[in-house]
């Protein structure tokens, strides 16, 4: 389900014998930041029992990471260019490891959420820098394409493994180990990185006004939705938060329209392909991440499954993601990207509609089977979606377009956790909130599938 941005970074002359080391270092970091987006979901009930806090606190454990990851993604590419990909990646790795340790040792929920915010910021720095390192380490275009494919599969495997590994670690060693596991992997990545040649520094300007207003808008919106669902949307603090989000969003758009070096060039959205791709990406992650969040809680809180059993029940949904990603690329090459995109969204919709039938006594393996189309639908859609987007923009805008898509997808995941959590907290029963969540996700995918049908066919030969 992970779709990487593709920053346009000029390759530096490097030794070819260092390329496997470059790929290993970049792949390890990308695996970790993809893993940590979902590994925490199955551990949420145990975290709640250990540290206290209600639904809103658990939502922040998930969204603290995703929010900062999404909010800082666009500036992170420029930072990587400015200070060099190796330096940016190394700094991000160190910060990611330190914040992971802080998560594992957190004495209370507030400290855990704060550490997750820092962890998400570090992930945002690592993401574009890791791909820039791959581009730097493989000057030959054909070899670089194969290396990027391996790098992408590493992210897909991490997303698939997240709930399973999270459940296994929580059950066997405790929830704190879902964060401690990052430390040896991060150390190995740093050891490999030390053997990577230095990266060039490229001129890149940071959009400070755009970055600040983006963080404020996304943070205030997420806070308003989460706390509104928990305490009521009429509370003064919630109303003020939503107003701040609206004002900050308007300021962000103004900064992008008038700034000399905007993070998101607004003319990019004049392309219907770009605009539709962004909405589709947002909705795909909303359905996937929101679904994993809701059903992690359902399986443990409503059905009494252990963290390990809950993680195992996600295997059918996640096991085929990497395989279906490859199938999507072949379908797009044969029939054009619109075919797998529409098919994937409709498959995902069918899965969400089927999940509306889940009740208090539905067999847990039946639930696991019903979740499969949600995972497969996203895996079928994302590669074709990314290819269509990058084909629709000039080469010098490919990095920006990829970053915008990835940011939109992360925002979709964060907002869905906030909205679905609010529905769970505000409904008469958990099942009612769960069904409303699935219905909203299904309706969203139907709308985006319809929008996809308006795009050019883009047949390939």
């Amino acid at each position: 389900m992970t779709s990487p941005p593709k920053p346009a970074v000029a390759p530096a002359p490097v030794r070819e014998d260092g390329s496997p080391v470059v790929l290993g270092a970049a792949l390890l970091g990308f695996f970790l930041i993809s893993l940590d987006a979902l590994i925490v979901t199955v551990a949420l009930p145990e975290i709640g029992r250990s540290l206290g806090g209600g639904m809103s606190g658990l939502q922040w454990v998930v969204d603290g990471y995703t929010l900062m990851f999404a909010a800082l993604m666009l500036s992170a590419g420029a930072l990587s260019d400015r200070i060099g990909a190796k330096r940016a990646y190394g700094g991000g790795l160190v910060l990611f490891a330190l914040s992971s340790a802080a998560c594992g040792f957190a004495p209370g929920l507030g400290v855990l959420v704060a550490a997750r915010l820092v962890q998400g910021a570090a992930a945002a720095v690592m993401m574009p820098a890791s791909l820039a390192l791959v581009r730097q380490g493989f000057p030959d275009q054909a070899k670089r394409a194969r290396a990027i494919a391996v790098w992408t599969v590493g992210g897909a495997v991490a997303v698939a493994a997240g709930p399973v590994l999270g459940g296994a670690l929580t059950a066997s060693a405790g929830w704190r180990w879902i964060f401690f596991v990052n430390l040896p992997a991060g150390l190995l990545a740093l050891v490999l990185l030390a053997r990577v040649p230095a990266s060039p520094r490229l001129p890149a300007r940071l959009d400070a006004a755009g970055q600040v207003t983006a963080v404020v808008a996304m943070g205030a919106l997420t806070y308003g939705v989460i706390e509104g669902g928990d305490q009521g949307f009429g509370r003064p603090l919630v109303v003020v938060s939503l107003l701040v989000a609206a004002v900050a969003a308007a300021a962000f758009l103004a900064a992008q329209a008038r700034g000399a070096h905007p993070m998101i060039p607004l003319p990019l959205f004049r392309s219907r392909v770009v605009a539709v791709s962004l909405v589709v990406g947002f909705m795909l992650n909303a359905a996937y991440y929101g679904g994993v969040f809701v059903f992690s809680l359902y399986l443990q809180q409503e059905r009494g499954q252990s963290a390990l059993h809950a993680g195992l029940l996600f295997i059918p949904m996640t096991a085929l993601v990497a395989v279906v990603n490859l199938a999507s690329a072949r379908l797009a090459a044969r029939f054009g990207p619109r075919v797998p995109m529409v098919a994937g969204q409709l498959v995902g919709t069918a899965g969400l509609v089927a999940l509306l039938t889940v009740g208090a006594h539905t067999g847990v393996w039946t639930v696991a089977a019903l979740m499969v189309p949600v995972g497969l639908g996203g895996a079928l859609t994302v590669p074709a979606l990314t290819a269509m987007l990058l084909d629709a923009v000039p080469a010098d805008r490919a990095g920006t377009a990829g970053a915008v898509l990835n940011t939109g997808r992360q925002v979709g995941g964060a907002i869905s956790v906030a909205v679905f959590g609010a529905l769970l907290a505000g409904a008469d029963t958990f099942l009612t909130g769960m069904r409303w969540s699935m219905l909203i996700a299904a309706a969203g995918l139907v709308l985006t599938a319809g929008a996809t049908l308006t795009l050019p066919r883009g047949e390939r030969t």
Side-chain angles (χ1 to χ4, degrees):
M1 295 290 296
T2 301
S3 176
K6 296 186 177 181
V9 177
V14 296
R15 300 186 304 272
E16 278 295 321
D17 59 2
S19 297
V21 175
V22 173
L23 182 58
L27 182 61
L28 265 175
F30 184 43
F31 182 90
L32 286 177
I33 62 180
S34 301
L35 183 72
D36 271 61
L38 282 174
I39 194 172
V40 73
T41 51
V42 177
L44 289 176
E46 188 62 32
I47 292 173
R49 287 190 287 269
S50 175
L51 301 182
M55 177 66 72
S56 63
L58 298 181
Q59 288 171 271
W60 276 113
V61 174
V62 178
D63 272 358
Y65 180 86
T66 311
L67 176 66
M68 294 303 291
F69 191 10
L72 299 178
M73 178 70 66
L74 294 171
S75 290
L79 177 66
S80 175
D81 289 350
R82 190 168 184 170
I83 69 175
K86 179 180 179 179
R87 180 174 296 182
Y89 188 62
L93 263 174
V94 170
L95 186 60
F96 190 87
L98 292 175
S99 56
S100 296
C103 288
F105 287 115
L109 195 62
V111 174
L112 176 59
V113 171
R116 285 284 283 174
L117 289 166
V118 177
Q119 195 183 35
V125 174
M126 291 166 60
M127 179 74 154
S130 67
L131 186 54
L133 284 176
V134 174
R135 292 171 66 92
Q136 168 187 317
F138 292 84
D140 179 76
Q141 185 176 6
K143 291 181 179 180
R144 184 167 66 244
R146 290 193 293 270
I148 290 175
V150 172
W151 182 86
T152 303
V153 170
V157 171
V159 170
V164 182
L165 184 58
L169 287 172
T170 300
S172 61
W175 66 265
R176 296 181 186 274
W177 280 92
I178 66 175
F179 300 111
F180 290 148
V181 74
N182 293 335
L183 302 182
L187 179 61
L188 177 58
L190 285 170
V191 170
L192 292 174
L193 185 66
R195 299 175 56 191
V196 174
S199 303
R201 299 185 185 186
L202 303 175
R205 295 180 181 271
L206 299 177
D207 179 11
Q211 184 59 85
V212 170
T213 52
V215 171
V216 172
M218 293 172 59
L221 176 61
T222 304
Y223 178 88
V225 175
I226 290 177
E227 298 302 321
D230 185 51
Q231 303 177 18
F233 285 94
R235 294 183 66 88
L237 190 58
V238 172
V239 173
V240 169
S241 177
L242 295 175
L243 288 174
V244 168
V247 172
F252 172 78
L253 291 175
Q256 301 313 288
R258 301 174 185 174
H261 304 282
M263 292 191 300
I264 303 177
L266 295 184
L268 198 66
F269 294 96
R270 293 174 185 166
S271 165
R272 187 172 57 180
V273 171
V274 173
V276 171
S277 297
L278 183 61
V279 175
V280 172
F282 176 97
M283 201 61 235
L284 285 171
N285 268 39
Y288 187 83
Y289 283 83
V292 172
F293 172 75
V294 169
F295 278 92
S296 293
L297 297 177
Y298 165 79
L299 290 169
Q300 295 178 75
Q301 294 184 352
E302 298 298 308
R303 302 305 303 275
Q305 299 294 307
S306 68
L308 175 59
H309 289 161
L312 291 175
L313 289 167
F314 281 101
I315 289 179
M317 181 178 77
T318 62
L320 297 177
V321 166
V323 175
V324 177
N325 273 336
L326 296 175
S328 172
R330 292 177 180 175
L331 285 172
R334 176 65 179 86
F335 300 106
R338 200 177 74 164
V339 170
M341 284 176 64
V342 173
Q345 290 172 83
L346 293 180
V347 168
T349 300
L352 293 165
V353 171
L355 288 169
L356 293 173
T357 66
V358 171
H361 304 291
T362 306
V364 291
W365 283 105
T366 299
V367 176
L370 293 176
M371 289 191 290
V372 170
V374 179
L376 295 186
L380 190 60
T381 305
V382 168
L385 167 68
T386 305
M388 174 176 274
L389 173 69
L390 296 181
D391 286 347
V393 298
D396 62 349
R397 292 288 179 89
T400 299
V404 169
L405 174 62
N406 201 60
T407 298
R409 294 182 61 207
Q410 296 300 325
V411 172
I415 295 300
S416 70
V417 169
V419 171
F420 294 176
L423 290 170
L424 295 176
D428 294 337
T429 67
F430 184 96
L431 289 176
T432 300
M434 183 179 76
R435 286 167 181 155
W436 273 111
S437 299
M438 296 303 99
L439 185 61
I440 290 171
L445 281 181
V446 168
L447 291 175
T448 55
T452 305
L453 286 172
T454 69
L455 298 178
R457 288 182 177 272
E459 285 91 353
R460 307 293 179 86
T461 58

